[in-house]
Amino acid sequence: MSSILLVTSSPRGDESLSNKIATDFVNKLVAQHPGSSVTHRDLGLSPISHLDTVTTSAIRKPAEARTSEEAAAADYSDKLVAELLAADTVVLATGLINFNIYSTLKSWIDNVARAGVTFRYTPEGPVGLATGKKVYIVLSSGGIYSEGPAAGMNHATPYLKTVLGFLGMTDIEVIYVEGTAFGPEAAEKAIAGAQERTQQLALAA
Ligand SMILES: Cc1cc2nc3c(=O)[nH]c(=O)nc-3n(C[C@H](O)[C@H](O)[C@H](O)COP(=O)(O)O)c2cc1C
């Protein structure tokens, strides 16, 4: 039994490959571990705003010093953090968008990366506080980046591994759904490959 947080970020709904593979994967995990709880944060359907003056100010202030507008912004960020901290399994889904992640997933990260809450500074350097989690990243892309000449243009995987690691999440698997722009056959092959991989990962979970 586990507590799963699924964060999808594509605005493309049923057309989205990262949504599909990640959602199917979570269903496989639940089938493997009946009774698991799933929280789905659908950023495509309900995007998170970019950081603004209110949020950046709110999260740096003690609660008693916040205006009502700042308190609402801090509550929202707190809710996202609580969802993350409550999970032992995190599934993040994104397309490769201009060589990085969907911007609303970036906004989610900007809300959950909180000094004193999900990481803290120590004399020895920063320490991540969101520990003890298994993280799966589902990354769909038109091109192929897991290997080959374009690998260095994939900024999503290194970025996510860096920021998640900074927050204490270092046990990370990446599931690629890639090469989907190379025609329907290539897309079918990419989807079948990702489904097979997630089946194996679910069995091993
Ligand atoms: C605005 C935009 C930018 C994209 N940029 C890239 C890119 O840099 N590299 C790539 O291989 N595919 C790129 N694609 C294709 C997407 O990665 C691909 O369609 C992926 O499946 C999108 O994820 P989704 O299906 O979950 O929405 C882009 C698509 C869009 C709409």
Side-chain angles (χ1 to χ4, degrees):
M1 221 166 77
S2 69
S3 181
I4 303 168
L5 173 64
L6 167 64
V7 181
T8 53
S9 61
S10 172
R12 300 196 318 118
D14 291 345
E15 298 289 306
S16 160
L17 293 176
S18 62
N19 285 359
K20 177 177 170 45
I21 298 298
T23 305
D24 288 355
F25 178 43
V26 167
N27 290 337
K28 288 170 190 164
L29 288 171
V30 173
Q32 197 62 24
H33 300 282
S36 296
S37 68
V38 178
T39 299
H40 183 186
R41 180 59 64 174
D42 186 343
L43 305 174
L45 197 64
S46 307
I48 295 178
S49 313
H50 291 152
L51 287 180
D52 58 11
T53 318
V54 175
T55 309
T56 48
S57 161
I59 60 177
R60 285 158 183 264
K61 278 185 188 171
E64 60 279 7
R66 289 173 188 146
T67 64
S68 57
E69 210 186 358
E70 288 169 348
D75 284 351
Y76 183 68
S77 175
D78 286 349
K79 188 159 192 262
L80 298 175
V81 168
E83 286 174 358
L84 174 63
L85 294 180
D88 55 48
T89 304
V90 180
V91 180
L92 300 181
T94 183
L96 190 75
I97 300 301
N98 297 317
F99 309 107
N100 215 313
I101 59 177
Y102 272 115
S103 59
T104 191
L105 180 60
K106 175 65 167 57
S107 292
W108 178 83
I109 291 166
D110 294 338
N111 272 271
V112 298
R114 296 261 304 270
V117 183
T118 49
F119 70 93
R120 70 188 165 92
Y121 294 109
T122 73
E124 291 76 40
V127 175
L129 301 175
T131 54
K133 301 178 195 312
K134 178 83 191 181
V135 180
Y136 301 91
I137 296 165
V138 176
L139 179 63
S140 55
S141 59
I144 293 180
Y145 302 87
S146 64
E147 56 182 15
M153 295 164 79
N154 166 15
H155 295 275
T157 305
Y159 167 65
L160 287 171
K161 284 188 171 175
T162 298
V163 72
L164 296 171
F166 183 79
L167 301 180
M169 292 170 274
T170 51
D171 188 357
I172 300 174
E173 296 278 353
V174 184
I175 299 143
Y176 291 93
V177 196
E178 59 181 355
T180 58
F182 301 147
E185 245 177 64
E188 265 174 45
K189 198 175 152 203
I191 293 166
Q195 296 286 29
E196 199 181 308
R197 176 104 200 282
T198 53
Q199 184 62 41
Q200 286 163 4
L201 289 169
L203 287 175

